[in-house]
Amino acid sequence: MQQINSFEAYIKAYQNSIDNPEQFWDGVAHQFHWTKPWETTLEWNFTEPSIKWFAGGETNLCYNCIDRHLPTKANQTAIIFEPNNPDEEVRKLTYQELYIEVCKFANVLKSLGVNKGDRVCIYMPMVPEGAIAMLACARIGAIHSVVFAGFSATSLADRINDSECKILITADAVYRGDKLVALKNIVDEALANCPSIKNCIIYNNRNENINIVPNRDLWWHNLLVHISAENTAEPMDSEAPLFILYTSGSTGKPKGVLHTTAGYMIYVGYTFLNVFNYQPQEIFWCTADIGWVTGHSYLIYGPLLNGATTIMFEGVPNYPNAGRFWDVVDKHQVNIFYTAPTAIRALEAQGTQWFEGKDLSSLRVLGSVGEPINEEAWQWYHKNVGHSNCPIVDTWWQTETGGILISPIAGITPLKPAFATLPLPGVQPVLMDANGNEITENDVEGNLCIKFPWPGMSRTLYGDHERFRQTYYNTYKNYYFTGDGARRDHKGYYRITGRVDDVINVSGHRIGTGEVEDAINTHASVVESAVVGFPHDIKGQGICAFVIITTPQENLEQEIKETVSKIIGPFAKPDRIIIVPGLPKTRSGKIMRRILRKIAEGDISNLGDVSTLLDPGVVVEIRRLAGVFRGGI
Ligand code: WT7
């Protein structure tokens, strides 16, 4: 595939991609393997919305990730598995070995009656079998829905039920640091309420004693006995659904973001190669979990599409100590390292002694993803991890965009700390003013929209196209609305400032305020709640909940926190609960979060106009109860 190798080449490619988008993407698509060529490159309208890329064509993502490389790269390592416990064994799978495992598992799924278009839920730790399961689904045309293995039983069940998954793939348990997470127990609790699940496949990761439900539960290793390793990748329509990935919106119910085959493949393949300026033989390490879109696009699919070597790390940044990331970089001589600002800030707080004795000289490119990176963290990362000679690519994108949209091209785009810089070829970002018009000048701030399709964009929300339209294509007619605010400097560089909707970003995890409120409200003593984000030194944003209760009770705050942990997952646990007598509401009953956000931030000097409130007195009371609370740790 063609790689951009100078800033002039980027400018030229960008201009070309805007002047002749179809020709541009045709050129990229030709670099992949197709079983049937496409008839039209792009058909679209943002009103319905309806977006089709490479319609009429047939291809297979798994084939392009694996089979295509076998003639030249059979013995090259595809996946390096680094276990949670550094004393346990590293596993390496070559492209040939990965091919065999994926073919076998594809046959397992077929033998269990999984057909094209069926949904398969994957609730797995960060082990190669998670990747094998995803690739096997793509190979047979089943739609995978990976659920992050930090989600609770209730969240898992909701996601399985929303897309009526037929099979659930999981593991007995996983260690994260020194904590054992009994995944199969969580699964058993979830499956009590999931009528669509016919079978549960369990990968034996830790040899834990687990409960086996006869006829339903099957061990991964037993299924592999006597299974053929011959499997032909299923030719898939370009627009055939590839995967569903649930993400949070402003209401309680998570959204099943749907991606389709060819456009997603081409987009992540192209962006991986170019953003990271990947060179043959390099070792790429993305620390994201396969349960998030970064894990899909830049841990598995992007690297494999380019025949790269990708690291899968089962552990956490601070186990056995805060030097673990640097141990792994040293041990595997990592060339490209891609992580989240929250991890950088957490490690920064641990001091620089953790770098002592670690050889980081293999590093060539660093990446950041998931939330705005503040300038201080950027500088620390650049100096201590990159020894001031590795470019940092601050990559802005979303679950819905499939791949990176705004980012420097490593080594090519001149950097500016805390700026995601310029759009990638094919991407047409615009800023909108308060009246819904495009802002044409620079040095401005506005709501970030994209005005032309790119191949990796989401096509719908599973089972709810109307919600898809409403959420992304209704605020601004004929634009995709990202939900983010951004600033554009005098050179046209973008800095993403954060969400402008009711979504908060905690440690790079997107959480809907409505989702947390729904969870809090299930507690018997809770009458009503309102959740807002506040600036947090390490997590980026923390969660603050204002809660109205029936009767005071000891330890209620703790109980409410636990309720959220139980219903959504530990990562969504509020940092602070403030019990209040009332919430600031307008006469029409809408909660004025703007006021609560200011109180949570500790910025109570000017709460703005409170005259539209039903009961302005309640604000005085909330302010008193909140104290002068400052965000942070
Ligand atoms: C939201 C999307 C992109 C994969 C991981 C998160 C925020 C993401 C950046 C960045 C500033 C960023 C945005 C976006 N975000 N990357 N480089 N700079 N903000 O995916 O869970 O879908 O969240 O993450 O607010 O809308 P996600």
PDB file of all heavy atoms in Angstrom, residues 247 293-294 368-373 394-400 482 484 496 498-499 505 508 510, ligand 1:
ATOM      1  N   THR A 247     -21.502   1.348  22.692  1.00  0.00           N
ATOM      2  CA  THR A 247     -20.854   2.505  23.300  1.00  0.00           C
ATOM      3  C   THR A 247     -21.929   3.353  23.965  1.00  0.00           C
ATOM      4  O   THR A 247     -23.116   3.177  23.703  1.00  0.00           O
ATOM      5  CB  THR A 247     -20.044   3.301  22.251  1.00  0.00           C
ATOM      6  OG1 THR A 247     -19.289   4.306  22.928  1.00  0.00           O
ATOM      7  CG2 THR A 247     -20.929   3.960  21.218  1.00  0.00           C
ATOM      8  N   VAL A 293     -12.969   0.101  20.790  1.00  0.00           N
ATOM      9  CA  VAL A 293     -12.731   0.181  19.348  1.00  0.00           C
ATOM     10  C   VAL A 293     -11.234   0.271  19.032  1.00  0.00           C
ATOM     11  O   VAL A 293     -10.771  -0.237  18.013  1.00  0.00           O
ATOM     12  CB  VAL A 293     -13.534   1.330  18.699  1.00  0.00           C
ATOM     13  CG1 VAL A 293     -12.925   2.688  19.012  1.00  0.00           C
ATOM     14  CG2 VAL A 293     -13.662   1.119  17.201  1.00  0.00           C
ATOM     15  N   THR A 294     -10.459   0.884  19.910  1.00  0.00           N
ATOM     16  CA  THR A 294      -9.018   0.970  19.649  1.00  0.00           C
ATOM     17  C   THR A 294      -8.420  -0.434  19.563  1.00  0.00           C
ATOM     18  O   THR A 294      -7.550  -0.703  18.729  1.00  0.00           O
ATOM     19  CB  THR A 294      -8.305   1.781  20.749  1.00  0.00           C
ATOM     20  OG1 THR A 294      -9.031   3.001  20.937  1.00  0.00           O
ATOM     21  CG2 THR A 294      -6.881   2.107  20.375  1.00  0.00           C
ATOM     22  N   SER A 368      -1.136   8.553  21.153  1.00  0.00           N
ATOM     23  CA  SER A 368      -2.052   8.859  22.250  1.00  0.00           C
ATOM     24  C   SER A 368      -3.473   8.777  21.710  1.00  0.00           C
ATOM     25  O   SER A 368      -3.736   9.172  20.577  1.00  0.00           O
ATOM     26  CB  SER A 368      -1.749  10.268  22.758  1.00  0.00           C
ATOM     27  OG  SER A 368      -2.750  10.698  23.655  1.00  0.00           O
ATOM     28  N   VAL A 369      -4.382   8.273  22.527  1.00  0.00           N
ATOM     29  CA  VAL A 369      -5.763   8.102  22.065  1.00  0.00           C
ATOM     30  C   VAL A 369      -6.753   8.075  23.212  1.00  0.00           C
ATOM     31  O   VAL A 369      -6.414   7.671  24.314  1.00  0.00           O
ATOM     32  CB  VAL A 369      -5.928   6.786  21.265  1.00  0.00           C
ATOM     33  CG1 VAL A 369      -5.586   5.567  22.091  1.00  0.00           C
ATOM     34  CG2 VAL A 369      -7.334   6.641  20.675  1.00  0.00           C
ATOM     35  N   GLY A 370      -7.969   8.511  22.945  1.00  0.00           N
ATOM     36  CA  GLY A 370      -9.077   8.291  23.867  1.00  0.00           C
ATOM     37  C   GLY A 370      -9.582   9.532  24.555  1.00  0.00           C
ATOM     38  O   GLY A 370     -10.729   9.585  24.972  1.00  0.00           O
ATOM     39  N   GLU A 371      -8.743  10.540  24.706  1.00  0.00           N
ATOM     40  CA  GLU A 371      -9.153  11.760  25.398  1.00  0.00           C
ATOM     41  C   GLU A 371      -8.123  12.831  25.064  1.00  0.00           C
ATOM     42  O   GLU A 371      -7.026  12.510  24.594  1.00  0.00           O
ATOM     43  CB  GLU A 371      -9.216  11.523  26.912  1.00  0.00           C
ATOM     44  CG  GLU A 371      -7.974  10.831  27.384  1.00  0.00           C
ATOM     45  CD  GLU A 371      -7.875  10.650  28.881  1.00  0.00           C
ATOM     46  OE1 GLU A 371      -8.244  11.569  29.622  1.00  0.00           O
ATOM     47  OE2 GLU A 371      -7.375   9.608  29.281  1.00  0.00           O
ATOM     48  N   PRO A 372      -8.460  14.077  25.334  1.00  0.00           N
ATOM     49  CA  PRO A 372      -7.474  15.123  25.072  1.00  0.00           C
ATOM     50  C   PRO A 372      -6.237  14.887  25.932  1.00  0.00           C
ATOM     51  O   PRO A 372      -6.346  14.520  27.099  1.00  0.00           O
ATOM     52  CB  PRO A 372      -8.202  16.403  25.503  1.00  0.00           C
ATOM     53  CG  PRO A 372      -9.666  16.062  25.489  1.00  0.00           C
ATOM     54  CD  PRO A 372      -9.738  14.604  25.844  1.00  0.00           C
ATOM     55  N   ILE A 373      -5.074  15.041  25.336  1.00  0.00           N
ATOM     56  CA  ILE A 373      -3.848  14.936  26.139  1.00  0.00           C
ATOM     57  C   ILE A 373      -3.429  16.355  26.499  1.00  0.00           C
ATOM     58  O   ILE A 373      -3.307  17.219  25.628  1.00  0.00           O
ATOM     59  CB  ILE A 373      -2.733  14.138  25.418  1.00  0.00           C
ATOM     60  CG1 ILE A 373      -1.473  14.049  26.288  1.00  0.00           C
ATOM     61  CG2 ILE A 373      -2.409  14.658  24.031  1.00  0.00           C
ATOM     62  CD1 ILE A 373      -0.477  12.972  25.845  1.00  0.00           C
ATOM     63  N   ASP A 394      -1.124  12.240  18.243  1.00  0.00           N
ATOM     64  CA  ASP A 394      -2.319  12.406  19.075  1.00  0.00           C
ATOM     65  C   ASP A 394      -3.499  12.145  18.146  1.00  0.00           C
ATOM     66  O   ASP A 394      -3.863  12.986  17.332  1.00  0.00           O
ATOM     67  CB  ASP A 394      -2.335  13.835  19.632  1.00  0.00           C
ATOM     68  CG  ASP A 394      -3.584  14.143  20.443  1.00  0.00           C
ATOM     69  OD1 ASP A 394      -4.465  13.270  20.565  1.00  0.00           O
ATOM     70  OD2 ASP A 394      -3.692  15.273  20.943  1.00  0.00           O
ATOM     71  N   THR A 395      -4.061  10.940  18.261  1.00  0.00           N
ATOM     72  CA  THR A 395      -5.046  10.478  17.275  1.00  0.00           C
ATOM     73  C   THR A 395      -6.463  10.711  17.762  1.00  0.00           C
ATOM     74  O   THR A 395      -6.882  10.140  18.765  1.00  0.00           O
ATOM     75  CB  THR A 395      -4.855   8.973  17.009  1.00  0.00           C
ATOM     76  OG1 THR A 395      -5.104   8.244  18.221  1.00  0.00           O
ATOM     77  CG2 THR A 395      -3.433   8.669  16.531  1.00  0.00           C
ATOM     78  N   TRP A 396      -7.207  11.538  17.049  1.00  0.00           N
ATOM     79  CA  TRP A 396      -8.597  11.759  17.431  1.00  0.00           C
ATOM     80  C   TRP A 396      -9.519  10.907  16.558  1.00  0.00           C
ATOM     81  O   TRP A 396      -9.420  10.938  15.332  1.00  0.00           O
ATOM     82  CB  TRP A 396      -9.019  13.230  17.292  1.00  0.00           C
ATOM     83  CG  TRP A 396     -10.493  13.349  17.547  1.00  0.00           C
ATOM     84  CD1 TRP A 396     -11.099  13.402  18.769  1.00  0.00           C
ATOM     85  CD2 TRP A 396     -11.539  13.333  16.570  1.00  0.00           C
ATOM     86  NE1 TRP A 396     -12.464  13.418  18.618  1.00  0.00           N
ATOM     87  CE2 TRP A 396     -12.761  13.373  17.282  1.00  0.00           C
ATOM     88  CE3 TRP A 396     -11.554  13.264  15.177  1.00  0.00           C
ATOM     89  CZ2 TRP A 396     -13.994  13.376  16.634  1.00  0.00           C
ATOM     90  CZ3 TRP A 396     -12.785  13.260  14.527  1.00  0.00           C
ATOM     91  CH2 TRP A 396     -13.991  13.318  15.265  1.00  0.00           C
ATOM     92  N   TRP A 397     -10.408  10.193  17.226  1.00  0.00           N
ATOM     93  CA  TRP A 397     -11.436   9.420  16.520  1.00  0.00           C
ATOM     94  C   TRP A 397     -12.446   8.911  17.522  1.00  0.00           C
ATOM     95  O   TRP A 397     -12.418   9.295  18.688  1.00  0.00           O
ATOM     96  CB  TRP A 397     -10.822   8.302  15.676  1.00  0.00           C
ATOM     97  CG  TRP A 397      -9.956   7.295  16.400  1.00  0.00           C
ATOM     98  CD1 TRP A 397      -8.788   7.544  17.075  1.00  0.00           C
ATOM     99  CD2 TRP A 397     -10.177   5.885  16.496  1.00  0.00           C
ATOM    100  NE1 TRP A 397      -8.282   6.366  17.560  1.00  0.00           N
ATOM    101  CE2 TRP A 397      -9.101   5.338  17.222  1.00  0.00           C
ATOM    102  CE3 TRP A 397     -11.171   5.024  16.023  1.00  0.00           C
ATOM    103  CZ2 TRP A 397      -9.006   3.960  17.500  1.00  0.00           C
ATOM    104  CZ3 TRP A 397     -11.064   3.664  16.283  1.00  0.00           C
ATOM    105  CH2 TRP A 397      -9.993   3.147  17.020  1.00  0.00           C
ATOM    106  N   GLN A 398     -13.361   8.056  17.082  1.00  0.00           N
ATOM    107  CA  GLN A 398     -14.459   7.580  17.938  1.00  0.00           C
ATOM    108  C   GLN A 398     -14.858   6.161  17.522  1.00  0.00           C
ATOM    109  O   GLN A 398     -14.550   5.743  16.404  1.00  0.00           O
ATOM    110  CB  GLN A 398     -15.699   8.458  17.733  1.00  0.00           C
ATOM    111  CG  GLN A 398     -15.441   9.934  17.783  1.00  0.00           C
ATOM    112  CD  GLN A 398     -16.700  10.732  17.514  1.00  0.00           C
ATOM    113  OE1 GLN A 398     -17.246  10.683  16.414  1.00  0.00           O
ATOM    114  NE2 GLN A 398     -17.153  11.470  18.512  1.00  0.00           N
ATOM    115  N   THR A 399     -15.594   5.494  18.399  1.00  0.00           N
ATOM    116  CA  THR A 399     -16.132   4.178  18.054  1.00  0.00           C
ATOM    117  C   THR A 399     -16.876   4.272  16.722  1.00  0.00           C
ATOM    118  O   THR A 399     -16.752   3.407  15.863  1.00  0.00           O
ATOM    119  CB  THR A 399     -17.107   3.716  19.162  1.00  0.00           C
ATOM    120  OG1 THR A 399     -16.395   3.713  20.399  1.00  0.00           O
ATOM    121  CG2 THR A 399     -17.649   2.328  18.887  1.00  0.00           C
ATOM    122  N   GLU A 400     -17.619   5.339  16.550  1.00  0.00           N
ATOM    123  CA  GLU A 400     -18.446   5.505  15.354  1.00  0.00           C
ATOM    124  C   GLU A 400     -17.629   5.739  14.091  1.00  0.00           C
ATOM    125  O   GLU A 400     -18.108   5.483  12.993  1.00  0.00           O
ATOM    126  CB  GLU A 400     -19.392   6.705  15.531  1.00  0.00           C
ATOM    127  CG  GLU A 400     -20.456   6.539  16.607  1.00  0.00           C
ATOM    128  CD  GLU A 400     -19.962   6.927  18.005  1.00  0.00           C
ATOM    129  OE1 GLU A 400     -18.730   7.013  18.217  1.00  0.00           O
ATOM    130  OE2 GLU A 400     -20.818   7.129  18.882  1.00  0.00           O
ATOM    131  N   THR A 482     -20.096  14.954  15.639  1.00  0.00           N
ATOM    132  CA  THR A 482     -19.252  14.070  16.452  1.00  0.00           C
ATOM    133  C   THR A 482     -19.587  14.085  17.941  1.00  0.00           C
ATOM    134  O   THR A 482     -19.196  13.183  18.667  1.00  0.00           O
ATOM    135  CB  THR A 482     -17.775  14.501  16.333  1.00  0.00           C
ATOM    136  OG1 THR A 482     -17.651  15.811  16.923  1.00  0.00           O
ATOM    137  CG2 THR A 482     -17.336  14.562  14.879  1.00  0.00           C
ATOM    138  N   ASP A 484     -18.245  16.261  19.803  1.00  0.00           N
ATOM    139  CA  ASP A 484     -17.068  16.910  20.392  1.00  0.00           C
ATOM    140  C   ASP A 484     -17.001  18.385  20.014  1.00  0.00           C
ATOM    141  O   ASP A 484     -17.481  18.786  18.952  1.00  0.00           O
ATOM    142  CB  ASP A 484     -15.774  16.251  19.873  1.00  0.00           C
ATOM    143  CG  ASP A 484     -15.431  14.978  20.617  1.00  0.00           C
ATOM    144  OD1 ASP A 484     -15.697  14.910  21.837  1.00  0.00           O
ATOM    145  OD2 ASP A 484     -14.897  14.045  19.993  1.00  0.00           O
ATOM    146  N   ILE A 496      -8.932  19.005  20.061  1.00  0.00           N
ATOM    147  CA  ILE A 496     -10.255  18.557  20.506  1.00  0.00           C
ATOM    148  C   ILE A 496     -10.401  18.986  21.960  1.00  0.00           C
ATOM    149  O   ILE A 496      -9.533  18.678  22.789  1.00  0.00           O
ATOM    150  CB  ILE A 496     -10.388  17.017  20.389  1.00  0.00           C
ATOM    151  CG1 ILE A 496      -9.902  16.517  19.013  1.00  0.00           C
ATOM    152  CG2 ILE A 496     -11.806  16.564  20.706  1.00  0.00           C
ATOM    153  CD1 ILE A 496     -10.573  17.109  17.809  1.00  0.00           C
ATOM    154  N   GLY A 498     -13.199  18.384  23.953  1.00  0.00           N
ATOM    155  CA  GLY A 498     -13.981  17.444  24.776  1.00  0.00           C
ATOM    156  C   GLY A 498     -15.426  17.391  24.323  1.00  0.00           C
ATOM    157  O   GLY A 498     -15.833  18.087  23.391  1.00  0.00           O
ATOM    158  N   ARG A 499     -16.186  16.561  25.004  1.00  0.00           N
ATOM    159  CA  ARG A 499     -17.578  16.332  24.607  1.00  0.00           C
ATOM    160  C   ARG A 499     -18.415  17.569  24.897  1.00  0.00           C
ATOM    161  O   ARG A 499     -18.231  18.248  25.907  1.00  0.00           O
ATOM    162  CB  ARG A 499     -18.159  15.144  25.383  1.00  0.00           C
ATOM    163  CG  ARG A 499     -17.410  13.842  25.227  1.00  0.00           C
ATOM    164  CD  ARG A 499     -17.523  13.184  23.902  1.00  0.00           C
ATOM    165  NE  ARG A 499     -18.877  12.989  23.460  1.00  0.00           N
ATOM    166  CZ  ARG A 499     -19.209  12.177  22.441  1.00  0.00           C
ATOM    167  NH1 ARG A 499     -18.272  11.472  21.798  1.00  0.00           N
ATOM    168  NH2 ARG A 499     -20.457  12.065  22.063  1.00  0.00           N
ATOM    169  N   ASN A 505     -15.881  11.324  29.839  1.00  0.00           N
ATOM    170  CA  ASN A 505     -14.765  10.487  29.417  1.00  0.00           C
ATOM    171  C   ASN A 505     -13.870  10.247  30.628  1.00  0.00           C
ATOM    172  O   ASN A 505     -13.091  11.088  31.036  1.00  0.00           O
ATOM    173  CB  ASN A 505     -14.008  11.217  28.307  1.00  0.00           C
ATOM    174  CG  ASN A 505     -12.987  10.319  27.632  1.00  0.00           C
ATOM    175  OD1 ASN A 505     -12.379   9.463  28.275  1.00  0.00           O
ATOM    176  ND2 ASN A 505     -12.782  10.520  26.350  1.00  0.00           N
ATOM    177  N   GLY A 508     -10.392   7.631  29.518  1.00  0.00           N
ATOM    178  CA  GLY A 508     -10.524   7.203  28.131  1.00  0.00           C
ATOM    179  C   GLY A 508     -11.723   6.304  27.899  1.00  0.00           C
ATOM    180  O   GLY A 508     -11.941   5.836  26.795  1.00  0.00           O
ATOM    181  N   ARG A 510     -15.720   5.940  27.669  1.00  0.00           N
ATOM    182  CA  ARG A 510     -16.849   6.822  27.450  1.00  0.00           C
ATOM    183  C   ARG A 510     -18.033   6.340  28.268  1.00  0.00           C
ATOM    184  O   ARG A 510     -18.403   5.186  28.186  1.00  0.00           O
ATOM    185  CB  ARG A 510     -17.148   6.723  25.981  1.00  0.00           C
ATOM    186  CG  ARG A 510     -18.167   7.581  25.486  1.00  0.00           C
ATOM    187  CD  ARG A 510     -17.901   7.576  24.000  1.00  0.00           C
ATOM    188  NE  ARG A 510     -19.123   7.712  23.300  1.00  0.00           N
ATOM    189  CZ  ARG A 510     -19.193   7.632  21.986  1.00  0.00           C
ATOM    190  NH1 ARG A 510     -18.135   7.375  21.274  1.00  0.00           N
ATOM    191  NH2 ARG A 510     -20.325   7.807  21.408  1.00  0.00           N
TER     192      ARG A 510
HETATM  193  C1  WT7 B   1     -14.423  10.134  22.247  1.00  0.00           C
HETATM  194  C2  WT7 B   1     -14.678   8.822  21.574  1.00  0.00           C
HETATM  195  C3  WT7 B   1     -11.069   6.780  19.742  1.00  0.00           C
HETATM  196  C4  WT7 B   1     -10.977   5.498  20.374  1.00  0.00           C
HETATM  197  C5  WT7 B   1     -11.089   5.512  21.852  1.00  0.00           C
HETATM  198  C6  WT7 B   1     -12.289   6.240  22.390  1.00  0.00           C
HETATM  199  C7  WT7 B   1     -12.548  11.387  22.818  1.00  0.00           C
HETATM  200  C8  WT7 B   1     -10.767  10.222  21.489  1.00  0.00           C
HETATM  201  C9  WT7 B   1      -9.224  11.748  21.397  1.00  0.00           C
HETATM  202  C10 WT7 B   1      -8.093  12.598  21.214  1.00  0.00           C
HETATM  203  C11 WT7 B   1      -9.243  14.273  22.347  1.00  0.00           C
HETATM  204  C12 WT7 B   1     -10.330  12.262  22.091  1.00  0.00           C
HETATM  205  C13 WT7 B   1     -13.534  12.268  22.075  1.00  0.00           C
HETATM  206  C14 WT7 B   1     -14.348  11.278  21.282  1.00  0.00           C
HETATM  207  N1  WT7 B   1     -11.262  11.289  22.135  1.00  0.00           N
HETATM  208  N2  WT7 B   1      -9.535  10.489  21.046  1.00  0.00           N
HETATM  209  N3  WT7 B   1      -6.990  12.184  20.583  1.00  0.00           N
HETATM  210  N4  WT7 B   1      -8.150  13.849  21.705  1.00  0.00           N
HETATM  211  N5  WT7 B   1     -10.341  13.523  22.561  1.00  0.00           N
HETATM  212  O1  WT7 B   1     -13.421   5.953  21.634  1.00  0.00           O
HETATM  213  O2  WT7 B   1     -15.098   5.565  23.441  1.00  0.00           O
HETATM  214  O3  WT7 B   1     -15.811   6.102  21.085  1.00  0.00           O
HETATM  215  O4  WT7 B   1     -14.783   7.836  22.557  1.00  0.00           O
HETATM  216  O5  WT7 B   1     -13.154  10.101  22.885  1.00  0.00           O
HETATM  217  O6  WT7 B   1     -14.330  12.937  22.998  1.00  0.00           O
HETATM  218  O7  WT7 B   1     -15.632  11.743  20.939  1.00  0.00           O
HETATM  219  P1  WT7 B   1     -14.851   6.311  22.189  1.00  0.00           P
END
